[in-house]
Amino acid sequence: MKVVRIRFIDHEKSTIHRIRNFGEDLWRCFRDDKHVEIDLEEIDRAKEEITYLVHGRFLRRSLSEVRQLLKVHFMESEVVIDTGST
């Protein structure tokens, strides 16, 4: 499993409400996907970062979804996305 960390680096634009709204949309996108583990309770506590786990071979597809949602929320310039192993 790979860990994907979406870190919000623009603290003036990336308010807690915007981060959590993005996170809830991300959760809706992945909640039925058996290749992704994402925790809504963690998203509801998020202040600067949202993380999820994904099977390695689905990493690119999940990142594509993340980037699309960032565009929808006008947040693509406010984040750094890190990937690593668990």
Side-chain angles (χ1 to χ4, degrees):
M1 297 285 278
K2 299 279 188 178
V3 177
V4 177
R5 286 186 172 80
I6 305 164
R7 292 185 297 122
F8 296 86
I9 56 174
D10 188 337
H11 299 290
E12 288 185 23
K13 289 183 180 179
S14 299
T15 63
I16 289 173
H17 299 293
R18 289 183 73 217
I19 292 170
R20 291 178 183 169
N21 287 340
F22 164 78
E24 288 171 2
D25 282 351
L26 189 64
W27 175 80
R28 277 190 283 283
C29 180
F30 290 145
R31 68 180 168 195
D32 295 326
D33 190 331
K34 296 185 188 312
H35 306 298
V36 177
E37 293 178 23
I38 188 164
D39 185 0
L40 184 58
E41 289 180 18
E42 182 182 324
I43 289 168
D44 288 341
R45 293 187 304 268
K47 295 181 182 176
E48 298 177 349
E49 179 177 283
I50 292 174
T51 63
Y52 66 90
L53 297 173
V54 61
H55 289 280
R57 65 180 190 243
F58 296 97
L59 178 62
R60 279 197 297 190
R61 186 167 57 176
S62 77
L63 292 175
S64 175
E65 294 289 336
V66 168
R67 289 185 187 101
Q68 183 63 32
L69 277 175
L70 287 168
K71 286 180 184 178
V72 168
H73 285 265
F74 304 104
M75 300 177 88
E76 59 262 35
S77 64
E78 301 172 30
V79 301
V80 172
I81 300 173
D82 297 318
T83 61
S85 298
T86 57

